[in-house]
Amino acid sequence: KKGIPITLSLVYLCVAARVGLPVEGLNTPMHFLLRVVSKNLPAASTVYIDAFSSGKVVSEDEIVDTLRGQISIQQLRDLPPASHEDICSRMLRNLVHIFAQADEPSCTMTCVSQLAEVDPGARAQLAQEVQLFRMTGRTRILKP
């Protein structure tokens, strides 16, 4: 178990797609999860997978507890699947955070510029990051 939840989940998503299993990513706060999608399953029996915990099947209650109440069971059920853009954006935000903590401004700014391409909605915040970097040589830590 090495890496961050989203990268491990991406491996699961790719393998599932390859073998024809209906699995989608979920952009939950602080943790990226997987949901098995089947029209034959009622909402109450939807299967959730935590790739970071060795692919453990987790209940809705466990997810709400793990996320410290930042999401309700109903919000979890209603959460749309993460798009490819959502996944790329989240991965880049994670990298910005990691590189900023490691005091790697060049890598941080490379990820910031890539994030601006993937997530145009984040451009204003990212422009502030670039300005801060130009003025100080340092960046704030963006929340992933």
Side-chain angles (χ1 to χ4, degrees):
K1 170 169 106 170
K2 287 190 175 194
I4 55 178
I6 194 167
T7 54
L8 295 172
S9 295
L10 191 55
V11 171
Y12 269 73
L13 284 169
C14 291
V15 171
R18 181 80 178 208
V19 298
L21 293 175
V23 177
E24 58 191 21
L26 291 179
N27 226 349
T28 61
M30 302 181 335
H31 204 64
F32 195 85
L33 297 168
L34 301 167
R35 176 171 55 202
V36 178
V37 182
S38 176
K39 301 210 184 320
N40 300 327
L41 291 174
S45 62
T46 299
V47 176
Y48 297 92
I49 300 169
D50 184 349
F52 198 64
S53 295
S54 302
K56 178 182 172 188
V57 173
V58 290
S59 71
E60 291 172 336
D61 289 329
E62 287 175 294
I63 294 168
V64 170
D65 287 345
T66 299
L67 299 178
R68 298 180 189 100
Q70 292 189 32
I71 191 169
S72 70
I73 289 177
Q74 191 57 53
Q75 288 171 319
L76 179 63
R77 289 177 182 165
D78 294 341
L79 200 62
S83 68
H84 293 165
E85 291 82 5
D86 293 336
I87 294 170
C88 286
S89 177
R90 185 156 180 169
M91 290 179 81
L92 285 166
R93 285 180 187 280
N94 286 340
L95 288 171
V96 167
H97 182 76
I98 289 165
F99 288 134
Q101 280 190 325
D103 198 24
E104 294 283 347
S106 178
C107 294
T108 302
M109 296 317 296
T110 298
C111 291
V112 164
S113 68
Q114 291 172 345
L115 182 56
E117 294 297 318
V118 173
D119 185 358
R123 285 193 177 147
Q125 181 183 10
L126 296 171
Q128 290 174 349
E129 285 291 317
V130 171
Q131 185 177 20
L132 180 66
F133 176 70
R134 286 184 178 147
M135 290 172 27
T136 66
R138 304 207 31 99
T139 61
R140 289 187 315 260
I141 298 174
L142 293 175
K143 289 187 178 183

